[in-house]
């Protein structure tokens, strides 16, 4: 095994045993980025100097034996929607293409304390609006498994960078599926924690009521390690929870799932679901049953309303959150205008890409006088029913399993002309976001698409009760230990 | 409405004005079509019976999470970085264009 195929645990053990240094490890990844990123295009910014200086610091600490944090000296990538002090943070948007934050997101401060090595900032759909990275104002990222296809989105650069061995793990965000869908498309483990588990402070806000910092890695143990480090109370986020943070890594030692009750919602196995993916997820459920879990059919009756509800609530919150980009304090500014109002409308007109404008206008419309009751208020009520669906289901089951996506990664350009088609990417994902629940996507097979030669990875979603990441991760870990899907990696790029 | 769409170009212009976004005429036309399509899709929410349902805006149940209102010092480096981001400024102040 070469150095850039290691898991967090393997790399950490190697560092502590001094088999290699963090600088050596970091150089291997930087070299890999140099050799592959012209094809994959994961990175908006590669922070080579910073990474090497962080690696040197880590080596000093390891040498002095003063620190044995699992994440010490481990190279990662960060989605470019997360603020990093002194480092360009663009949200993959033209309006922030020169924005250098004056502060770190809370999760970045936490990871710095752990001694992380940040290799760079990775691409996403601008302001996380999308499911393919095609809405990035800069460039589209390619799926390492088949370069003609999208890596998914919005955290597409997080997925491509991990699956192409350009880093060991990545931090992205998931607002309506943005970590789970790309994890499925790229054969990775993607965890969206419970809303309120990880501080949102320092994310460039999209939908404040569903935004979740999220984790992408090659196996379940790795996401568990990172979750434990970034979770927890933060006085800068008034929606953060004081709930106990479990020792997830420790809990994974429990490999018994006997008697665990797993709900299978019929509404997630519909005609729109590719028949090969359906078969693969059914096989996975059989496997889980054979390992001792009890499978129970359940119903989540308002499932089909999740996407339309999400596409009212999200644009409404987006229209409010993106109001701050006005060309006055930071970001792109049309300074040659002579009137203040012209600075606003021209800076926003030029600075926002088409999906950001579409969502801002949809939200502005839905919140405007005369339409508020019909759209926003209605969506808030349907959201309450979607939450109740899950609450009722969790009276009888411990976890819920569904496919992550209805299809494998689509070809670049296939949906880009049609916003509605792109929104349908979220059909198995947005209800969970609206309910604020934790969910992980884990690899559960490969499917050869009708329009391609290469087999593509697919994912299974495990959904848990609020703040019960430990049970979600336990099942994911047991499934992973008893299957081989996560062991396949991209053969050549 | 001036045509059969859910949103006319005139309404798009009004929304863009409220949202403080300048659109080209092509964009106005494009968004009239696209927003109409999206709203048409969203209309299916009307069939859900929500008569006795209370709306929700958040899932945490946390109310009024307040901290003490104490000013914290901003270090010089952060201050400089904030000021460096001003598109137009003078002596540490933001410069804006005339309002009227």
């Amino acid at each position: 095994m070469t150095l850039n195929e290691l898991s967090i645990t393997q790399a950490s053990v190697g560092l502590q045993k001094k088999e290699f240094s963090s600088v050596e490890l970091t150089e291997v990844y930087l070299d890999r980025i140099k050799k592959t990123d012209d094809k994959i295009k994961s990175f908006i910014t590669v922070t080579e100097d910073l990474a090497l200086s962080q690696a040197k610091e880590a080596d000093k600490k390891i040498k002095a034996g003063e620190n044995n944090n699992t994440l010490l000296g481990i190279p990662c990538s960060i989605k470019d929607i997360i603020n990093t002090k002194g480092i360009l943070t663009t949200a993959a948007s033209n309006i922030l293409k020169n924005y250098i934050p004056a502060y770190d997101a809370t999760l970045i401060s936490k990871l710095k304390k752990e001694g992380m090595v940040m290799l760079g900032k990775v691409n996403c759909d601008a302001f996380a609006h999308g499911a393919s990275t095609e809405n990035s104002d800069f460039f589209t990222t390619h799926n390492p498994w088949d370069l003609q296809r999208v890596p998914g989105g919005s955290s597409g650069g997080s997925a491509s960078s991990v699956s192409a061995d350009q880093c060991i793990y990545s931090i992205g965000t998931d607002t309506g599926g943005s970590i789970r869908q790309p994890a499925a498309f790229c054969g990775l483990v993607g965890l969206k924690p419970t809303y309120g588990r990880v501080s949102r402070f320092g994310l460039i806000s999209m939908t404040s009521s569903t935004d979740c910092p999220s984790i992408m890695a090659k196996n379940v143990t790795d996401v568990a390690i990172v979750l434990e480090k970034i979770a927890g109370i933060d006085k800068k986020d008034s929606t953060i929870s004081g709930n106990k943070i479990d020792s997830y890594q420790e809990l994974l030692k429990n490999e018994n799932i006997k008697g665990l009750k797993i709900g299978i919602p019929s509404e997630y196995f519909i005609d729109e679901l590719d028949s090969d993916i359906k078969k693969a997820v059914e096989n996975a459920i059989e496997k889980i049953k054979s390992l001792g879990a009890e499978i129970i059919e359940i119903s989540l009756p308002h499932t089909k309303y999740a996407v339309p509800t999400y596409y009212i609530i999200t644009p409404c919150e987006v229209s409010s959150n993106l109001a701050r980009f006005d060309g006055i304090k930071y970001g792109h500014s049309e300074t040659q205008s002579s009137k203040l109002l012209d600075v606003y409308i021209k800076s926003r007109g030029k600075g926002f890409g088409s999906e950001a404008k579409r969502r801002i206008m949809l939200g502005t419309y839905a919140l405007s006088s005369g339409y508020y009751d019909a759209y926003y208020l209605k969506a808030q009520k349907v959201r309450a029913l979607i939450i109740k669906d899950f609450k009722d289901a969790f009276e009888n089951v411990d976890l819920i399993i569904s496919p992550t996506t209805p299809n494998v990664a689509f070809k670049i350009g296939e949906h880009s002309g049609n916003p509605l088609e792109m929104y349908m990417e979220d059909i198995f994902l947005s209800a969970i976001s609206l309910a604020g629940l934790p969910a992980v996507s884990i690899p559960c097979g490969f499917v050869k698409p009708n329009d391609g030669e290469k087999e593509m990875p697919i994912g299974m979603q495990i959904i848990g009760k609020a703040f019960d990441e430990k049970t979600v991760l336990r099942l994911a870990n047991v499934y992973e230990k008893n299957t081989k899907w996560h062991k396949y990696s991209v053969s050549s790029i | 409405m001036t045509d059969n769409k859910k949103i006319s170009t005139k309404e798009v212009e009004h929304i863009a004005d409220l949202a403080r976004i300048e659109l080209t005429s092509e964009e106005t036309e494009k968004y009239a079509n696209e927003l109409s399509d999206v709203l048409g899709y969203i209309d299916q929410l009307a069939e859900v019976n929500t008569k006795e349902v209370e709306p929700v805006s958040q899932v945490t149940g946390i109310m009024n999470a307040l901290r003490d209102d104490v000013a914290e010092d901003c270090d010089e480096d952060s201050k400089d970085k904030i000021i460096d981001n001003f598109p137009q400024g003078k002596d540490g102040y933001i410069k804006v264009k005339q309002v009227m």
Side-chain angles (χ1 to χ4, degrees):
Chain A
M1 183 173 268
T2 56
L3 279 187
N4 60 358
E5 290 170 5
L6 300 177
S7 68
I8 292 176
T9 317
Q10 289 167 328
S12 182
V13 168
L15 287 171
Q16 299 293 341
K17 284 190 177 164
K18 307 196 176 56
E19 287 165 10
F20 44 83
S21 69
S22 177
V23 169
E24 282 167 341
L25 188 65
T26 302
E27 279 170 345
V28 167
Y29 282 97
L30 288 168
D31 188 52
R32 176 77 176 169
I33 294 167
K34 271 181 205 147
K35 284 190 177 135
T36 55
D37 212 42
D38 58 331
K39 286 182 195 154
I40 295 174
K41 298 183 138 335
S42 304
F43 285 82
I44 291 173
T45 307
V46 178
T47 50
E48 181 168 349
D49 293 346
L50 172 73
L52 289 169
S53 76
Q54 287 175 332
K56 264 180 212 154
E57 277 303 306
D59 283 335
K60 263 190 224 161
K61 283 183 184 161
I62 293 164
K63 208 173 166 192
E66 64 186 50
N67 191 328
N68 60 356
N69 290 337
T70 329
L71 292 182
L72 178 64
I74 306 291
C76 67
S77 72
I78 304 288
K79 186 178 183 178
D80 211 20
I81 202 154
I82 298 168
N83 277 322
T84 43
K85 184 175 181 177
I87 306 288
L88 187 69
T89 299
T90 67
S93 74
N94 276 326
I95 204 160
L96 291 178
K97 73 174 176 218
N98 296 316
Y99 175 60
I100 298 183
Y103 66 100
D104 277 324
T106 297
L107 75 90
I108 296 293
S109 307
K110 284 178 183 258
L111 288 173
K112 277 185 175 173
K113 272 189 204 130
E114 298 295 323
M116 76 155 167
V117 172
M118 185 177 88
L119 296 165
K121 305 293 293 286
V122 283
N123 197 29
C124 54
D125 293 287
F127 293 104
H129 301 165
S132 70
T133 73
E134 290 167 293
N135 290 335
S136 165
D137 288 346
F138 306 142
F139 49 79
T140 297
T141 299
H142 298 252
N143 190 316
W145 293 87
D146 179 350
L147 296 174
Q148 292 179 34
R149 294 178 188 272
V150 301
S154 66
S155 308
S158 289
S160 63
S161 61
V162 177
S163 80
D165 295 325
Q166 295 173 325
C167 60
I168 300 188
Y169 71 97
S170 185
I171 306 289
T173 57
D174 187 320
T175 300
S178 280
I179 206 89
R180 291 164 284 160
Q181 183 250 24
F185 279 7
C186 292
L188 298 168
V189 178
L191 173 72
K192 179 195 102 68
T194 311
Y195 179 84
R197 179 59 101 185
V198 181
S199 170
R200 292 181 294 113
F201 180 76
L203 304 191
I204 294 172
S205 301
M206 171 187 170
T207 307
S208 301
S209 78
T210 66
D211 283 346
C212 286
S214 297
I215 306 153
M216 189 92 75
K218 285 178 182 161
N219 62 55
V220 176
T221 306
D222 282 5
V223 299
I225 291 169
V226 179
L227 176 62
E228 204 174 315
K229 304 295 186 191
I230 63 174
I233 205 93
D234 177 15
K235 66 177 179 185
K236 289 171 178 160
D237 179 354
S238 61
T239 57
I240 196 87
S241 161
N243 279 28
K244 179 167 168 273
I245 303 161
D246 297 298
S247 173
Y248 301 110
Q249 206 188 338
E250 198 59 33
L251 285 163
L252 292 185
K253 288 178 185 158
N254 177 357
E255 292 188 12
N256 181 6
I257 57 164
K258 282 208 171 61
L260 208 59
K261 289 181 180 156
I262 315 285
I264 310 296
S266 53
E267 292 84 357
Y268 283 68
F269 294 81
I270 48 178
D271 291 347
E272 286 87 339
L273 174 62
D274 175 272
S275 58
D276 290 335
I277 296 183
K278 184 166 182 252
K279 223 177 289 163
V281 175
E282 283 168 353
N283 287 342
I285 292 166
E286 273 307 309
K287 180 87 200 173
I288 287 164
K289 191 177 169 187
S290 75
L291 294 167
E294 188 186 338
I295 306 297
I296 299 166
E297 275 191 39
I298 60 164
S299 173
L300 298 166
H302 295 90
T303 298
K304 73 174 229 191
Y305 302 110
V307 172
T309 302
Y310 181 79
Y311 278 99
I312 283 296
I313 287 175
T314 286
C316 288
E317 294 193 33
V318 163
S319 73
S320 166
N321 275 327
L322 270 54
R324 76 192 65 180
F325 303 109
D326 57 4
I328 302 299
K329 297 190 292 297
Y330 50 83
H332 175 77
S333 183
E334 294 283 315
T335 48
Q336 66 278 25
S337 308
S338 60
K339 295 275 169 57
L340 183 65
L341 183 63
D342 286 337
V343 176
Y344 293 155
I345 66 171
K346 287 180 196 300
S347 300
R348 290 163 65 78
K350 291 233 170 78
F352 285 130
S354 62
E355 183 62 22
K357 286 182 196 167
R358 192 178 294 123
R359 293 195 188 194
I360 291 169
M361 290 202 293
L362 187 57
T364 304
Y365 177 77
L367 290 173
S368 65
S369 168
Y371 298 101
Y372 179 88
D373 285 5
Y375 291 111
Y376 187 60
L377 190 65
K378 183 77 184 181
Q380 285 184 306
K381 289 179 177 176
V382 181
R383 183 178 184 179
L385 294 171
I386 290 166
I387 294 169
K388 188 172 179 297
D389 279 358
F390 283 106
K391 211 176 155 223
D392 292 347
F394 279 124
E395 295 280 323
N396 302 310
V397 299
D398 303 304
L399 296 167
I400 295 171
I401 286 182
S402 81
T404 306
T405 63
N407 293 292
V408 297
F410 48 91
K411 285 191 171 166
I412 292 169
E414 198 177 317
H415 296 321
S416 57
N418 188 332
L420 261 182
E421 271 179 33
M422 198 67 92
Y423 296 171
M424 296 312 285
E425 277 298 309
D426 294 332
I427 56 174
F428 299 148
L429 306 170
S430 50
I432 293 92
S433 294
L434 290 168
L437 302 172
V440 71
S441 177
I442 55 170
C444 74
F446 287 84
V447 165
K448 193 173 155 202
N450 294 330
D451 62 346
E453 287 305 307
K454 292 180 177 161
E455 290 208 318
M456 298 300 293
I458 56 167
M460 165 172 73
Q461 178 174 233
I462 303 172
I463 307 155
K465 297 172 188 171
F467 300 103
D468 193 19
E469 283 88 352
K470 62 178 187 295
T471 310
V472 172
L473 292 171
R474 170 152 63 111
L475 177 64
N477 184 52
V478 169
Y479 178 76
E480 183 183 272
K481 290 263 155 62
N482 286 281
T483 51
K484 57 189 183 317
W485 307 117
H486 66 290
K487 288 186 179 158
Y488 292 93
S489 56
V490 177
S491 51
S492 63
I493 291 158
Chain B
M1 272 195 232
T2 52
D3 53 22
N4 291 327
K5 286 180 219 134
K6 285 191 79 77
I7 295 196
S8 64
T9 49
K10 211 169 159 218
E11 278 177 295
V12 171
E13 283 165 10
H14 175 61
I15 300 162
D17 185 43
L18 290 174
R20 299 284 187 261
I21 293 176
E22 186 174 78
L23 297 180
T24 62
S25 53
E26 293 86 46
E27 282 180 310
T28 307
E29 192 66 41
K30 182 179 83 147
Y31 286 124
N33 288 321
E34 289 177 355
L35 295 182
S36 295
D37 285 351
V38 175
L39 287 169
Y41 168 71
I42 284 161
D43 269 350
Q44 61 178 297
L45 292 183
E47 71 197 43
V48 186
N49 180 358
T50 52
K51 234 181 190 166
E52 317 246 308
V53 181
E54 283 295 313
V56 294
S57 54
Q58 54 116 319
V59 294
T60 64
I62 298 169
M63 302 284 274
N64 300 331
L66 302 173
R67 56 164 170 74
D68 293 336
D69 188 17
V70 183
E72 276 178 31
D73 261 350
C74 182
D75 62 80
E76 286 303 313
D77 178 47
S78 302
K79 212 180 285 175
D80 290 344
K81 284 191 165 64
I82 292 168
I83 291 169
D84 286 346
N85 272 310
F86 296 169
Q88 285 197 312
K90 200 181 171 196
D91 303 331
Y93 290 89
I94 294 171
K95 218 168 135 183
V96 292
K97 305 290 179 181
Q98 65 185 79
V99 176
M100 299 300 285

